[in-house]
Amino acid sequence: RDELSIARIAEDYINAHFAEDISRDDIAAYACVTPNYLSTLFHAETGKTIREYISDCRLNESKRLLAATRKSISAIAMECGFGNISYFSTVFRKCVGKSPVEWRKEQKRT
């Protein structure tokens, strides 16, 4: 395996499992490399840490669900792998600049 394929394997694994409680060790074991080596390669390839990439996947899916469904905020938080609604709301507001409720209302208007 070359360096690019290891990062791609990690991305594919994260994209399939972001809603679960996954760790760098889980991803490294799947890619058959050490966690530190994976982190180095992944950051060099994507410009993001593994944790940032997982968070981005979770946020992107939560935004999709907020816009496309009537599911509750807490159901979306759990479905996207956030441990609880307050953590989800904190991360969402920090990254998006609005609460999930505000963001959803804004999407309905457009």
Side-chain angles (χ1 to χ4, degrees):
R1 295 180 179 179
D2 65 14
E3 293 176 2
L4 289 179
S5 68
I6 291 169
R8 187 73 56 231
I9 288 166
E11 285 179 328
D12 290 346
Y13 183 86
I14 293 166
N15 289 334
H17 298 276
F18 67 84
E20 302 164 22
D21 185 18
I22 56 173
S23 70
R24 181 181 75 150
D25 291 352
D26 297 330
I27 301 161
Y30 181 79
C32 301
V33 295
T34 65
N36 287 342
Y37 186 61
L38 174 65
S39 292
T40 301
L41 290 178
F42 194 87
H43 192 267
E45 168 74 12
T46 66
K48 296 179 180 181
T49 66
I50 290 169
R51 184 63 36 215
E52 288 168 339
Y53 190 86
I54 292 169
S55 185
D56 285 353
C57 288
R58 289 175 174 167
L59 280 170
N60 289 337
E61 179 64 2
S62 69
K63 288 182 353 188
R64 187 188 73 75
L65 291 171
L66 285 166
T69 72
R70 293 179 161 222
K71 292 181 180 182
S72 70
I73 304 296
S74 59
I76 290 171
M78 299 314 265
E79 188 172 327
C80 294
F82 291 96
N84 60 63
I85 189 170
S86 64
Y87 177 67
F88 169 61
S89 295
T90 300
V91 171
F92 195 95
R93 183 180 291 278
K94 181 181 173 208
C95 296
V96 179
K98 297 174 172 56
S99 74
V101 172
E102 292 167 334
W103 191 87
R104 177 183 258 173
K105 283 180 184 169
E106 198 173 82
Q107 298 309 300
K108 300 290 186 213
R109 279 182 269 168
T110 59

